[in-house]
Amino acid sequence: MTGDPIVPQTTWSQYLVQVYANGETSVIGSYDYRILEEKAREATKAIQSAYMYTFGSAGTGSTYRNNFEALDRWRIIPRMLRNVTHRNLDTTLFGVKLPSPIIIAPVGIHGILHEDGELATASAAASVGVPFVMSSASSRSIEAVAKANDDGHRWYQLYWPLHNDVTLSILGRAKAAGFTALMVTVDTFMLGWRPYDLDKAYLPFLAGVGAQVGTSDPAFMKRMGLAPRVDERPAFPLDLDAFRARLAAGDEEAQTALMLGRAWVEPTSGVFRSWEDLKFLRDNWDGPIVLKGIQTVEDAHAAIDSRMDGIVVSNHGGRQVDGAIGSFSALENITASSRVRRAQQQGEFTVLFDSGIRKGCDVIKAIAMGAQGVLVGRPIMYGLVLGGKEGVEEVLRGLLADTEITLGLSGYRSIDEIWGKREAILEKADSLPRRAKL
């Protein structure tokens, strides 16, 4: 006799009970990410260009689709009759213990989707206990986002400015505001070919929206011959047609916004950095540096050689190169490298995954494949559109509950039990023998 089962402790999965018990419709309206996406599209039909700017992809969208297909090719193999009553998603990244491996990805210009912009998202992240990665293309200042994030964990994503004085100023502000890790995007030294945005000529930066890290920066604004704007908050919703009309009429304020936006977007205008350039960041950032956008084993090795602390295996959610491999296929290749695995096991290198995470099973697959954390982008924006801070919280709590439930139903208690165990936990569908016809 083993006695009565022990009642499980409160965990992320208790959110499932809470949803049923409350008997109320959520702010976001659905926990099915496919329905959630459609609801977000419907809610933004008056500002459809803003929706497509955030949720659109490069070219035909093939890389976006490939991200899902790469994840779907791998299947979880559940184990039964294991005592997994007590579960947790705890993990440690860069020496910091976190309640889960889920991280809010850097997404630009939240302010075109909701009037509270990044303040809502950063606040929700702190409330739930998930790290927030602030984009250089934010519609709020570094200091304002840090205040909204309060005592939450926060990292800063860098679109690398062309001028060292501006870079140093931004790094100093981020560090002073409590951002502990630097995430350097290396796949966007120029914008990808995004047909919808081109068809509508929709680029918020040209109205100065998304340049608020720059407009609040002393070094950047000194180059512009202007004083920093401490807490600039662009009007919502953004009306680019009205802005262009103001430009045509010679409106000086509109002309200044255009000048600032163009200058701020320079890091994505075609000047490419090299591996040698990373030394400047390594010498001037006291904390972990992670390269976002790595897709090959060779580049992962180069990151180790460059004394980087980690990488994000990401293809920018399919927004940069059309016709590219799914990001999960890149993760499969990179974590198969004995050099990468050794560096991970020795605590010298961290591999994170991005591009395609929508469900709890996606998180489990990524961790089993060898990722130590996952970034989630578009679903967070769906929540922001539909419910502001509360909507983001619901998306996060739903994903966390789904992840923990899937972990338990698969027969495991913790992230540690599944990390890097692809052979035991996953099976690749296209490598399975075909079933004989009956």
mmCIF file of all heavy atoms in Angstrom, residues 124-163:
data_model
loop_
_atom_site.group_PDB
_atom_site.id
_atom_site.type_symbol
_atom_site.label_atom_id
_atom_site.label_comp_id
_atom_site.label_asym_id
_atom_site.label_seq_id
_atom_site.Cartn_x
_atom_site.Cartn_y
_atom_site.Cartn_z
ATOM 1 N N ALA A 124 2.640 43.439 -17.276
ATOM 2 C CA ALA A 124 2.071 42.085 -17.250
ATOM 3 C C ALA A 124 3.166 41.047 -17.013
ATOM 4 O O ALA A 124 2.975 40.085 -16.253
ATOM 5 C CB ALA A 124 1.351 41.797 -18.570
ATOM 6 N N ALA A 125 4.308 41.246 -17.648
ATOM 7 C CA ALA A 125 5.425 40.311 -17.469
ATOM 8 C C ALA A 125 5.836 40.230 -16.011
ATOM 9 O O ALA A 125 6.053 39.148 -15.464
ATOM 10 C CB ALA A 125 6.612 40.741 -18.330
ATOM 11 N N ALA A 126 5.917 41.391 -15.362
ATOM 12 C CA ALA A 126 6.297 41.416 -13.940
ATOM 13 C C ALA A 126 5.242 40.740 -13.080
ATOM 14 O O ALA A 126 5.564 40.011 -12.137
ATOM 15 C CB ALA A 126 6.515 42.858 -13.488
ATOM 16 N N SER A 127 3.964 40.982 -13.393
ATOM 17 C CA SER A 127 2.883 40.395 -12.602
ATOM 18 C C SER A 127 2.896 38.874 -12.654
ATOM 19 O O SER A 127 2.631 38.202 -11.661
ATOM 20 C CB SER A 127 1.522 40.915 -13.105
ATOM 21 O OG SER A 127 1.405 42.307 -12.894
ATOM 22 N N VAL A 128 3.219 38.332 -13.820
ATOM 23 C CA VAL A 128 3.209 36.878 -13.992
ATOM 24 C C VAL A 128 4.536 36.251 -13.557
ATOM 25 O O VAL A 128 4.576 35.103 -13.127
ATOM 26 C CB VAL A 128 2.879 36.520 -15.460
ATOM 27 C CG1 VAL A 128 2.927 35.014 -15.685
ATOM 28 C CG2 VAL A 128 1.500 37.054 -15.836
ATOM 29 N N GLY A 129 5.628 37.019 -13.667
ATOM 30 C CA GLY A 129 6.935 36.496 -13.294
ATOM 31 C C GLY A 129 7.755 36.005 -14.465
ATOM 32 O O GLY A 129 8.603 35.130 -14.323
ATOM 33 N N VAL A 130 7.497 36.592 -15.633
ATOM 34 C CA VAL A 130 8.189 36.198 -16.866
ATOM 35 C C VAL A 130 9.139 37.316 -17.286
ATOM 36 O O VAL A 130 8.753 38.483 -17.278
ATOM 37 C CB VAL A 130 7.145 35.931 -17.982
ATOM 38 C CG1 VAL A 130 7.811 35.782 -19.326
ATOM 39 C CG2 VAL A 130 6.323 34.692 -17.648
ATOM 40 N N PRO A 131 10.373 37.006 -17.681
ATOM 41 C CA PRO A 131 11.285 38.056 -18.149
ATOM 42 C C PRO A 131 10.743 38.768 -19.382
ATOM 43 O O PRO A 131 10.138 38.150 -20.267
ATOM 44 C CB PRO A 131 12.568 37.289 -18.482
ATOM 45 C CG PRO A 131 12.504 36.060 -17.648
ATOM 46 C CD PRO A 131 11.048 35.694 -17.591
ATOM 47 N N PHE A 132 10.984 40.067 -19.433
ATOM 48 C CA PHE A 132 10.534 40.903 -20.544
ATOM 49 C C PHE A 132 11.756 41.415 -21.286
ATOM 50 O O PHE A 132 12.672 41.965 -20.694
ATOM 51 C CB PHE A 132 9.717 42.080 -20.008
ATOM 52 C CG PHE A 132 9.304 43.070 -21.073
ATOM 53 C CD1 PHE A 132 8.272 42.776 -21.940
ATOM 54 C CD2 PHE A 132 9.959 44.296 -21.202
ATOM 55 C CE1 PHE A 132 7.879 43.673 -22.917
ATOM 56 C CE2 PHE A 132 9.570 45.206 -22.177
ATOM 57 C CZ PHE A 132 8.531 44.895 -23.034
ATOM 58 N N VAL A 133 11.763 41.230 -22.608
ATOM 59 C CA VAL A 133 12.854 41.756 -23.433
ATOM 60 C C VAL A 133 12.335 42.975 -24.172
ATOM 61 O O VAL A 133 11.438 42.880 -25.012
ATOM 62 C CB VAL A 133 13.383 40.715 -24.433
ATOM 63 C CG1 VAL A 133 14.627 41.270 -25.137
ATOM 64 C CG2 VAL A 133 13.714 39.403 -23.736
ATOM 65 N N MET A 134 12.903 44.125 -23.859
ATOM 66 C CA MET A 134 12.492 45.385 -24.472
ATOM 67 C C MET A 134 13.197 45.584 -25.799
ATOM 68 O O MET A 134 14.409 45.448 -25.905
ATOM 69 C CB MET A 134 12.807 46.551 -23.539
ATOM 70 C CG MET A 134 12.450 47.904 -24.116
ATOM 71 S SD MET A 134 12.932 49.258 -23.018
ATOM 72 C CE MET A 134 12.398 50.668 -24.014
ATOM 73 N N SER A 135 12.438 45.956 -26.814
ATOM 74 C CA SER A 135 12.989 46.204 -28.138
ATOM 75 C C SER A 135 13.558 47.613 -28.246
ATOM 76 O O SER A 135 13.027 48.568 -27.668
ATOM 77 C CB SER A 135 11.895 46.021 -29.194
ATOM 78 O OG SER A 135 12.332 46.466 -30.462
ATOM 79 N N SER A 136 14.627 47.747 -29.035
ATOM 80 C CA SER A 136 15.151 49.076 -29.366
ATOM 81 C C SER A 136 14.110 49.895 -30.127
ATOM 82 O O SER A 136 14.175 51.121 -30.149
ATOM 83 C CB SER A 136 16.404 48.956 -30.247
ATOM 84 O OG SER A 136 17.522 48.573 -29.507
ATOM 85 N N ALA A 137 13.168 49.193 -30.769
ATOM 86 C CA ALA A 137 12.128 49.856 -31.546
ATOM 87 C C ALA A 137 10.868 50.069 -30.719
ATOM 88 O O ALA A 137 9.748 49.947 -31.221
ATOM 89 C CB ALA A 137 11.807 49.037 -32.790
ATOM 90 N N SER A 138 11.023 50.389 -29.456
ATOM 91 C CA SER A 138 9.876 50.584 -28.571
ATOM 92 C C SER A 138 9.256 51.967 -28.757
ATOM 93 O O SER A 138 9.917 52.908 -29.184
ATOM 94 C CB SER A 138 10.288 50.413 -27.110
ATOM 95 O OG SER A 138 10.588 49.065 -26.836
ATOM 96 N N SER A 139 8.003 52.063 -28.375
ATOM 97 C CA SER A 139 7.296 53.343 -28.443
ATOM 98 C C SER A 139 7.270 54.034 -27.086
ATOM 99 O O SER A 139 6.506 54.976 -26.880
ATOM 100 C CB SER A 139 5.866 53.129 -28.962
ATOM 101 O OG SER A 139 5.174 52.187 -28.161
ATOM 102 N N ARG A 140 8.102 53.555 -26.164
ATOM 103 C CA ARG A 140 8.279 54.189 -24.859
ATOM 104 C C ARG A 140 9.762 54.183 -24.530
ATOM 105 O O ARG A 140 10.540 53.400 -25.087
ATOM 106 C CB ARG A 140 7.499 53.449 -23.757
ATOM 107 C CG ARG A 140 5.990 53.388 -23.967
ATOM 108 C CD ARG A 140 5.330 54.752 -23.890
ATOM 109 N NE ARG A 140 3.863 54.658 -23.909
ATOM 110 C CZ ARG A 140 3.115 54.643 -25.014
ATOM 111 N NH1 ARG A 140 3.695 54.676 -26.212
ATOM 112 N NH2 ARG A 140 1.799 54.574 -24.926
ATOM 113 N N SER A 141 10.176 55.014 -23.600
ATOM 114 C CA SER A 141 11.586 55.119 -23.248
ATOM 115 C C SER A 141 12.039 53.940 -22.396
ATOM 116 O O SER A 141 11.222 53.221 -21.801
ATOM 117 C CB SER A 141 11.848 56.420 -22.490
ATOM 118 O OG SER A 141 11.294 56.348 -21.182
ATOM 119 N N ILE A 142 13.343 53.752 -22.311
ATOM 120 C CA ILE A 142 13.926 52.714 -21.475
ATOM 121 C C ILE A 142 13.476 52.876 -20.028
ATOM 122 O O ILE A 142 13.075 51.912 -19.365
ATOM 123 C CB ILE A 142 15.465 52.759 -21.561
ATOM 124 C CG1 ILE A 142 15.929 52.264 -22.931
ATOM 125 C CG2 ILE A 142 16.112 51.943 -20.446
ATOM 126 C CD1 ILE A 142 17.418 52.440 -23.188
ATOM 127 N N GLU A 143 13.521 54.103 -19.546
ATOM 128 C CA GLU A 143 13.197 54.368 -18.144
ATOM 129 C C GLU A 143 11.720 54.131 -17.847
ATOM 130 O O GLU A 143 11.366 53.595 -16.781
ATOM 131 C CB GLU A 143 13.587 55.799 -17.781
ATOM 132 C CG GLU A 143 15.086 56.062 -17.792
ATOM 133 C CD GLU A 143 15.697 56.177 -19.197
ATOM 134 O OE1 GLU A 143 14.925 56.355 -20.169
ATOM 135 O OE2 GLU A 143 16.931 56.076 -19.318
ATOM 136 N N ALA A 144 10.844 54.496 -18.786
ATOM 137 C CA ALA A 144 9.409 54.299 -18.579
ATOM 138 C C ALA A 144 9.061 52.809 -18.547
ATOM 139 O O ALA A 144 8.240 52.359 -17.737
ATOM 140 C CB ALA A 144 8.616 55.004 -19.677
ATOM 141 N N VAL A 145 9.683 52.039 -19.431
ATOM 142 C CA VAL A 145 9.429 50.591 -19.462
ATOM 143 C C VAL A 145 9.951 49.938 -18.187
ATOM 144 O O VAL A 145 9.302 49.068 -17.604
ATOM 145 C CB VAL A 145 10.057 49.957 -20.715
ATOM 146 C CG1 VAL A 145 9.982 48.437 -20.651
ATOM 147 C CG2 VAL A 145 9.347 50.468 -21.964
ATOM 148 N N ALA A 146 11.128 50.354 -17.742
ATOM 149 C CA ALA A 146 11.692 49.799 -16.506
ATOM 150 C C ALA A 146 10.772 50.080 -15.326
ATOM 151 O O ALA A 146 10.560 49.214 -14.467
ATOM 152 C CB ALA A 146 13.077 50.391 -16.254
ATOM 153 N N LYS A 147 10.219 51.275 -15.269
ATOM 154 C CA LYS A 147 9.306 51.624 -14.178
ATOM 155 C C LYS A 147 8.060 50.746 -14.217
ATOM 156 O O LYS A 147 7.590 50.260 -13.175
ATOM 157 C CB LYS A 147 8.920 53.094 -14.260
ATOM 158 C CG LYS A 147 8.028 53.563 -13.119
ATOM 159 C CD LYS A 147 7.723 55.049 -13.238
ATOM 160 C CE LYS A 147 6.816 55.522 -12.094
ATOM 161 N NZ LYS A 147 6.509 56.982 -12.207
ATOM 162 N N ALA A 148 7.526 50.522 -15.408
ATOM 163 C CA ALA A 148 6.332 49.676 -15.542
ATOM 164 C C ALA A 148 6.640 48.238 -15.168
ATOM 165 O O ALA A 148 5.804 47.532 -14.608
ATOM 166 C CB ALA A 148 5.802 49.751 -16.975
ATOM 167 N N ASN A 149 7.853 47.792 -15.459
ATOM 168 C CA ASN A 149 8.271 46.425 -15.160
ATOM 169 C C ASN A 149 8.602 46.226 -13.683
ATOM 170 O O ASN A 149 8.688 45.100 -13.196
ATOM 171 C CB ASN A 149 9.468 46.041 -16.041
ATOM 172 C CG ASN A 149 9.826 44.577 -15.991
ATOM 173 O OD1 ASN A 149 10.948 44.223 -15.652
ATOM 174 N ND2 ASN A 149 8.881 43.698 -16.325
ATOM 175 N N ASP A 150 8.805 47.338 -12.974
ATOM 176 C CA ASP A 150 9.009 47.350 -11.528
ATOM 177 C C ASP A 150 10.134 46.389 -11.121
ATOM 178 O O ASP A 150 11.258 46.544 -11.555
ATOM 179 C CB ASP A 150 7.682 47.024 -10.838
ATOM 180 C CG ASP A 150 7.675 47.387 -9.357
ATOM 181 O OD1 ASP A 150 8.519 48.205 -8.942
ATOM 182 O OD2 ASP A 150 6.836 46.848 -8.617
ATOM 183 N N ASP A 151 9.810 45.377 -10.317
ATOM 184 C CA ASP A 151 10.854 44.458 -9.847
ATOM 185 C C ASP A 151 10.935 43.193 -10.708
ATOM 186 O O ASP A 151 11.478 42.179 -10.296
ATOM 187 C CB ASP A 151 10.619 44.078 -8.384
ATOM 188 C CG ASP A 151 9.274 43.394 -8.152
ATOM 189 O OD1 ASP A 151 8.472 43.306 -9.101
ATOM 190 O OD2 ASP A 151 9.024 42.939 -7.021
ATOM 191 N N GLY A 152 10.403 43.260 -11.929
ATOM 192 C CA GLY A 152 10.463 42.113 -12.834
ATOM 193 C C GLY A 152 11.848 41.937 -13.432
ATOM 194 O O GLY A 152 12.718 42.805 -13.315
ATOM 195 N N HIS A 153 12.038 40.799 -14.070
ATOM 196 C CA HIS A 153 13.296 40.534 -14.771
ATOM 197 C C HIS A 153 13.191 41.130 -16.177
ATOM 198 O O HIS A 153 12.217 40.883 -16.892
ATOM 199 C CB HIS A 153 13.551 39.030 -14.866
ATOM 200 C CG HIS A 153 13.714 38.369 -13.544
ATOM 201 N ND1 HIS A 153 14.827 38.554 -12.753
ATOM 202 C CD2 HIS A 153 12.899 37.532 -12.846
ATOM 203 C CE1 HIS A 153 14.706 37.863 -11.636
ATOM 204 N NE2 HIS A 153 13.542 37.239 -11.666
ATOM 205 N N ARG A 154 14.202 41.890 -16.582
ATOM 206 C CA ARG A 154 14.143 42.528 -17.892
ATOM 207 C C ARG A 154 15.503 42.529 -18.577
ATOM 208 O O ARG A 154 16.542 42.711 -17.947
ATOM 209 C CB ARG A 154 13.598 43.954 -17.797
ATOM 210 C CG ARG A 154 14.248 44.827 -16.737
ATOM 211 C CD ARG A 154 13.494 46.159 -16.620
ATOM 212 N NE ARG A 154 14.018 46.996 -15.551
ATOM 213 C CZ ARG A 154 13.585 46.954 -14.289
ATOM 214 N NH1 ARG A 154 12.623 46.113 -13.935
ATOM 215 N NH2 ARG A 154 14.106 47.761 -13.381
ATOM 216 N N TRP A 155 15.447 42.308 -19.890
ATOM 217 C CA TRP A 155 16.621 42.327 -20.745
ATOM 218 C C TRP A 155 16.384 43.382 -21.826
ATOM 219 O O TRP A 155 15.237 43.733 -22.133
ATOM 220 C CB TRP A 155 16.855 40.976 -21.415
ATOM 221 C CG TRP A 155 16.988 39.808 -20.478
ATOM 222 C CD1 TRP A 155 17.126 39.834 -19.118
ATOM 223 C CD2 TRP A 155 16.988 38.419 -20.843
ATOM 224 N NE1 TRP A 155 17.229 38.560 -18.612
ATOM 225 C CE2 TRP A 155 17.145 37.673 -19.658
ATOM 226 C CE3 TRP A 155 16.899 37.739 -22.055
ATOM 227 C CZ2 TRP A 155 17.192 36.283 -19.651
ATOM 228 C CZ3 TRP A 155 16.943 36.355 -22.059
ATOM 229 C CH2 TRP A 155 17.092 35.643 -20.870
ATOM 230 N N TYR A 156 17.480 43.859 -22.423
ATOM 231 C CA TYR A 156 17.354 44.876 -23.475
ATOM 232 C C TYR A 156 17.842 44.315 -24.806
ATOM 233 O O TYR A 156 18.929 43.752 -24.892
ATOM 234 C CB TYR A 156 18.160 46.133 -23.116
ATOM 235 C CG TYR A 156 17.975 47.246 -24.132
ATOM 236 C CD1 TYR A 156 16.825 48.026 -24.123
ATOM 237 C CD2 TYR A 156 18.932 47.470 -25.119
ATOM 238 C CE1 TYR A 156 16.631 49.007 -25.070
ATOM 239 C CE2 TYR A 156 18.742 48.459 -26.072
ATOM 240 C CZ TYR A 156 17.588 49.228 -26.040
ATOM 241 O OH TYR A 156 17.396 50.203 -26.988
ATOM 242 N N GLN A 157 17.017 44.493 -25.836
ATOM 243 C CA GLN A 157 17.380 44.064 -27.188
ATOM 244 C C GLN A 157 17.951 45.250 -27.957
ATOM 245 O O GLN A 157 17.350 46.326 -27.989
ATOM 246 C CB GLN A 157 16.161 43.501 -27.918
ATOM 247 C CG GLN A 157 16.406 43.119 -29.377
ATOM 248 C CD GLN A 157 16.148 44.260 -30.340
ATOM 249 O OE1 GLN A 157 15.353 45.152 -30.066
ATOM 250 N NE2 GLN A 157 16.834 44.248 -31.467
ATOM 251 N N LEU A 158 19.080 45.034 -28.607
ATOM 252 C CA LEU A 158 19.783 46.111 -29.292
ATOM 253 C C LEU A 158 19.747 45.957 -30.801
ATOM 254 O O LEU A 158 20.217 44.957 -31.348
ATOM 255 C CB LEU A 158 21.251 46.137 -28.831
ATOM 256 C CG LEU A 158 22.123 47.267 -29.392
ATOM 257 C CD1 LEU A 158 21.716 48.604 -28.765
ATOM 258 C CD2 LEU A 158 23.600 46.979 -29.132
ATOM 259 N N TYR A 159 19.165 46.971 -31.480
ATOM 260 C CA TYR A 159 19.450 47.205 -32.884
ATOM 261 C C TYR A 159 20.630 48.166 -32.860
ATOM 262 O O TYR A 159 20.483 49.323 -32.485
ATOM 263 C CB TYR A 159 18.248 47.813 -33.611
ATOM 264 C CG TYR A 159 17.148 46.819 -33.895
ATOM 265 C CD1 TYR A 159 15.838 47.064 -33.494
ATOM 266 C CD2 TYR A 159 17.404 45.644 -34.600
ATOM 267 C CE1 TYR A 159 14.827 46.166 -33.754
ATOM 268 C CE2 TYR A 159 16.395 44.732 -34.861
ATOM 269 C CZ TYR A 159 15.110 44.996 -34.445
ATOM 270 O OH TYR A 159 14.115 44.095 -34.705
ATOM 271 N N TRP A 160 21.762 47.691 -33.243
ATOM 272 C CA TRP A 160 23.043 48.329 -32.983
ATOM 273 C C TRP A 160 23.178 49.680 -33.690
ATOM 274 O O TRP A 160 23.276 49.745 -34.928
ATOM 275 C CB TRP A 160 24.136 47.392 -33.475
ATOM 276 C CG TRP A 160 25.491 47.595 -32.912
ATOM 277 C CD1 TRP A 160 26.028 48.731 -32.399
ATOM 278 C CD2 TRP A 160 26.508 46.600 -32.842
ATOM 279 N NE1 TRP A 160 27.318 48.514 -32.004
ATOM 280 C CE2 TRP A 160 27.640 47.205 -32.267
ATOM 281 C CE3 TRP A 160 26.576 45.260 -33.216
ATOM 282 C CZ2 TRP A 160 28.827 46.518 -32.062
ATOM 283 C CZ3 TRP A 160 27.755 44.573 -33.011
ATOM 284 C CH2 TRP A 160 28.864 45.195 -32.436
ATOM 285 N N PRO A 161 23.200 50.799 -32.961
ATOM 286 C CA PRO A 161 23.361 52.117 -33.589
ATOM 287 C C PRO A 161 24.682 52.217 -34.359
ATOM 288 O O PRO A 161 25.662 51.540 -34.042
ATOM 289 C CB PRO A 161 23.352 53.078 -32.400
ATOM 290 C CG PRO A 161 22.580 52.358 -31.346
ATOM 291 C CD PRO A 161 22.954 50.912 -31.518
ATOM 292 N N LEU A 162 24.705 53.097 -35.356
ATOM 293 C CA LEU A 162 25.898 53.240 -36.177
ATOM 294 C C LEU A 162 27.001 54.013 -35.466
ATOM 295 O O LEU A 162 28.172 53.908 -35.832
ATOM 296 C CB LEU A 162 25.546 53.953 -37.489
ATOM 297 C CG LEU A 162 24.491 53.273 -38.380
ATOM 298 C CD1 LEU A 162 24.375 54.003 -39.705
ATOM 299 C CD2 LEU A 162 24.831 51.811 -38.608
ATOM 300 N N HIS A 163 26.628 54.796 -34.455
ATOM 301 C CA HIS A 163 27.587 55.659 -33.775
ATOM 302 C C HIS A 163 27.856 55.131 -32.369
ATOM 303 O O HIS A 163 26.923 54.880 -31.591
ATOM 304 C CB HIS A 163 27.062 57.093 -33.719
ATOM 305 C CG HIS A 163 26.713 57.651 -35.062
ATOM 306 N ND1 HIS A 163 27.667 58.026 -35.978
ATOM 307 C CD2 HIS A 163 25.503 57.869 -35.662
ATOM 308 C CE1 HIS A 163 27.076 58.459 -37.075
ATOM 309 N NE2 HIS A 163 25.769 58.375 -36.910
#
